[in-house]
Amino acid sequence: MDWLERAAGLRQWSRSGIRAPHKPLLLLYALGRFQRDAAGELRYSAVEEDLQRLLTEYGPPNRTTPAYPFHHMVGDGVWEVRTDRGPGSPGSGVRELRATGAAGRLAPELRAALRREPSLLGRMARVLLDLHFPPSLHGDLCASVGLELEPAEAGQLSVAVPRRRDPRMRERVLTAYEYRCAFCGYDGRIGATPVGLEAAHVRWWAFDGPDDVDNGLCLCSLHHKLFDMGVLGVGEGHRILVSQRFVGHSPAAREHVIVLSDRPLIGPQPGALPVAEVHRSWHAGQVFRGSPRPAMVS
């Protein structure tokens, strides 16, 4: 049985690029728990808060529940659920999962495979990360689910992932924005080498975002992370959006994030393609969180 293909083929609700990472997040969480306690199980009432936090931080902007993947991932052959009454899930209702003492864990065949081949765990995690989340979030997400990946696992693109990134995108995007962060203008270098500047996908590569300049922004490391977390976005007229859900009281939070609200993007240079409307709209609907703050009053 090819467990990498099983991880890559988790059945998810999908339509027009709408994100539904519920099952991948649950499976990553279960792999992290297995890494720490191979014999343990996940009682829904005990892990519900953890799973809800993962969905809130790494899921789509709309409110959702971990009860859905807890029940439905059984059908993917990687997960099993039992209750106080015996094997089988009571359904996807939160009350039923709590009241029946529902508990889940990795399927027996998968647990056996992970014991025989410990490196399989890291490779499955890499498939889930590559297919559903941008690289800027991989480290934080692994920390959130308690996964410790070896360096080789953390950098290895699995054969189960059908697409390959275009290594030329970074240079094209940074050139288009003249090696400056499109949000703050940061342009640091050591000698001739840019430091802390990255090419961000607007529509995530994991969701069919192309490696094209009009789907990219040159961003500093801080603003790349905030962009992928939905704190920052790009609005109409290519002006910067700052989520009202972002809270920061320090001068640094104000100067580096809050004051950006409604400012125009810096770049791209004349002749380079700006962010395409179709990609901007995808990010606004699938990543940006809540409503934008109004422009700061001087």
Side-chain angles (χ1 to χ4, degrees):
M1 185 176 296
D2 192 331
W3 292 108
L4 297 183
E5 294 296 337
R6 285 284 183 96
L10 292 176
R11 292 190 293 272
Q12 301 172 77
W13 183 89
S14 63
R15 185 183 67 190
S16 303
I18 295 177
R19 297 176 59 219
H22 307 66
K23 288 181 180 179
L25 285 170
L26 174 58
L27 186 50
L28 284 167
Y29 184 82
L31 290 170
R33 290 291 291 265
F34 181 89
Q35 194 176 53
R36 301 193 302 277
D37 179 11
E41 61 180 14
L42 308 180
R43 197 172 183 90
Y44 182 79
S45 58
V47 301
E48 181 181 8
E49 185 176 343
D50 282 352
L51 296 176
Q52 186 62 64
R53 175 179 51 81
L54 286 173
L55 282 171
T56 299
E57 293 182 3
Y58 299 101
N62 54 295
R63 178 75 176 178
T64 186
T65 171
Y68 170 85
F70 203 92
H71 165 72
H72 286 286
M73 198 163 72
V74 171
D76 293 284
V78 297
W79 179 250
E80 66 175 6
V81 176
R82 68 166 187 83
T83 68
D84 293 338
R85 298 191 296 263
S89 173
S92 59
V94 172
R95 291 182 180 178
E96 290 81 359
L97 289 166
R98 292 172 181 165
T100 59
R105 61 179 179 173
L106 300 175
E109 298 87 351
L110 177 53
R111 298 200 307 272
L114 291 170
R115 291 188 180 100
R116 288 193 306 270
E117 187 182 358
S119 66
L120 175 62
L121 187 148
R123 287 183 284 129
M124 287 185 68
R126 172 51 52 192
V127 169
L128 295 166
L129 292 168
D130 285 335
L131 287 177
H132 302 285
F133 305 97
S136 68
L137 302 185
H138 290 185
D140 289 346
L141 183 46
C142 285
S144 294
V145 300
L147 268 173
E148 296 184 6
L149 300 184
E150 296 296 327
E153 296 166 345
Q156 174 183 335
L157 187 66
S158 169
V159 295
V161 179
R163 297 173 62 213
R164 293 290 183 270
R165 297 176 184 271
D166 185 345
R168 299 168 298 176
M169 180 189 177
R170 179 179 183 274
E171 182 64 26
R172 291 199 301 259
V173 171
L174 267 60
T175 297
Y177 285 84
E178 301 181 282
Y179 293 86
R180 293 181 300 173
C181 175
F183 287 164
C184 69
Y186 168 82
D187 61 354
R189 294 173 180 262
I190 293 181
T193 303
V195 178
L197 287 173
E198 301 164 358
H201 282 77
V202 179
R203 182 185 180 113
W204 292 357
W205 182 87
F207 285 83
D208 297 321
D211 290 328
D212 297 333
V213 170
D214 68 357
N215 187 41
L217 286 170
C218 176
L219 297 178
C220 67
S221 300
L222 171 64
H223 290 134
H224 189 178
K225 178 68 67 67
L226 295 177
F227 186 64
D228 284 345
M229 286 296 292
V231 172
L232 299 174
V234 179
E236 294 183 3
H238 295 90
R239 304 187 79 83
I240 300 170
L241 304 177
V242 178
S243 173
Q244 289 184 345
R245 297 184 187 178
F246 175 79
V247 176
H249 302 291
S250 66
R254 183 181 185 279
E255 293 168 10
H256 296 301
V257 182
I258 295 173
V259 298
L260 298 177
S261 182
D262 203 43
R263 285 185 179 177
L265 289 179
I266 300 171
Q269 63 176 286
L273 293 174
V275 175
E277 172 63 21
V278 63
H279 304 318
R280 185 194 69 76
S281 295
W282 182 89
H283 187 276
Q286 296 303 309
V287 180
F288 187 74
R289 298 187 177 278
S291 301
R293 288 171 172 261
M296 290 286 293
V297 178
S298 301

